Amino acid sequence: MKTFKSSTLLLAVAASAALALAGCSAPAESPSASESAPAEQQLQVPEASEILPRTAEVIKNATSVSMSGEITQAGEVIKLDLAGTNDGSNSRAAVSLDAGSFELLTVDNTAYLKADKAFFIENAGKEAAGMIDSLVGEKWISTSNASQFGDFNVGAMLKTMTSGDLEDFDSQKFTDSSLEDLAGVKAFKYTGDENDYWIAAEGEPYLLQVEGSDAKGTGSGSMSFSDWNTVSPFTAPAKSETVSIPGL
């Protein structure tokens, strides 16, 4: 059986990383009522040089998060939903690409893959895809070699984000800043020359949303984060719902 094309499987990661370095990211959990400032209180928008390093530090210390977005990279549209722990030991990803879609669940360093036939055709070939489809059906493919799917976890995404513009905020110019309502949450918006950032204005300065494009103009998109430090653990599928494939 042909092995999966790792470059195709990791396309979603590469695109997300490229956008993260350029400034694409996501919404945080809404502050509780007790944390919210009185409506009449006027919030002052801080300088980007003041809040971005604080946001980077908050992201570094995060234990879990959910992120969702759509990215266009080199003409390919990638839709991504990813949630789990920072260390990658427990996570779930749902990715839709032009060449099929897949779900990747990781629990206790065991990976479970579920994908449509189009994805298997692209990554294993038409003949092998037919064999996989007849063998797997609606079950999850399990493997203890989770590393073959790449560094596809929340921690890798967050690390890419904090090593980019959030720490190196002088790398781009901010032309405007304002206080906005983002889906019912007060947010500081910073308009950059390539990317726009929304950061929680109350409570911890979580990154709420980013929209932008990469430096070469070949990718664009937006990402949103939620459930900071509160993602519920995922459980492994029942043994009856999994199947192992030799060589995978």
Side-chain angles (χ1 to χ4, degrees):
M1 181 181 295
K2 293 175 65 177
T3 56
F4 291 124
K5 302 174 184 177
S6 60
S7 60
T8 301
L9 185 58
L10 296 178
L11 181 57
V13 180
S16 296
L19 268 272
L21 282 170
C24 276
S25 289
E29 191 178 36
S30 302
S32 65
S34 61
E35 294 176 326
S36 299
E40 64 273 12
Q41 181 176 335
Q42 181 64 44
L43 293 170
Q44 299 298 317
V45 181
E47 294 292 331
S49 59
E50 174 188 341
I51 199 168
L52 292 187
R54 290 171 52 205
T55 298
E57 192 64 27
V58 166
I59 292 174
K60 282 182 179 180
N61 294 329
T63 57
S64 64
V65 71
S66 299
M67 58 185 74
S68 178
E70 182 173 311
I71 298 166
T72 300
Q73 184 74 12
E76 176 155 24
V77 177
I78 302 168
K79 295 181 180 180
L80 169 69
D81 285 289
L82 174 63
T85 58
N86 195 1
D87 63 7
S89 62
N90 189 282
S91 65
R92 182 180 182 276
V95 180
S96 174
L97 308 110
D98 290 348
S101 60
F102 70 90
E103 293 181 60
L104 183 62
L105 176 66
T106 304
V107 180
D108 296 331
N109 296 316
T110 296
Y112 303 89
L113 175 70
K114 183 182 287 188
D116 60 16
K117 193 171 183 179
F119 176 83
F120 285 125
I121 290 175
E122 174 67 20
N123 290 276
K126 189 173 183 179
E127 182 178 352
M131 295 173 60
I132 294 173
D133 187 55
S134 61
L135 177 64
V136 176
E138 295 299 316
K139 295 184 177 181
W140 294 85
I141 299 174
S142 65
T143 175
S144 58
N145 183 20
S147 62
Q148 69 178 302
F149 296 114
D151 203 10
F152 196 38
N153 56 64
V154 165
M157 295 291 190
L158 296 183
K159 184 177 181 180
T160 302
M161 288 166 44
T162 54
S163 64
D165 286 342
L166 292 180
E167 287 187 328
D168 187 20
F169 55 83
D170 288 331
S171 64
Q172 66 172 306
K173 296 179 180 179
F174 292 97
T175 58
D176 192 23
S177 61
S178 59
L179 177 64
E180 294 192 354
D181 182 290
L182 185 65
V185 177
K186 291 185 178 65
F188 298 130
K189 179 184 178 182
Y190 297 90
T191 302
D193 52 354
E194 293 180 356
N195 313 286
D196 297 338
Y197 299 80
W198 286 260
I199 296 174
E202 299 174 319
E204 295 286 355
Y206 288 116
L207 185 62
L208 301 179
Q209 181 171 300
V210 179
E211 296 180 357
S213 59
D214 63 25
K216 296 181 179 179
T218 58
S220 63
S222 65
M223 292 290 287
S224 63
F225 294 133
S226 60
D227 306 321
W228 285 97
N229 303 315
T230 61
V231 177
S232 299
F234 297 99
T235 58
K239 197 169 184 179
S240 60
E241 297 176 348
T242 68
V243 63
S244 298
I245 296 180
L248 180 62

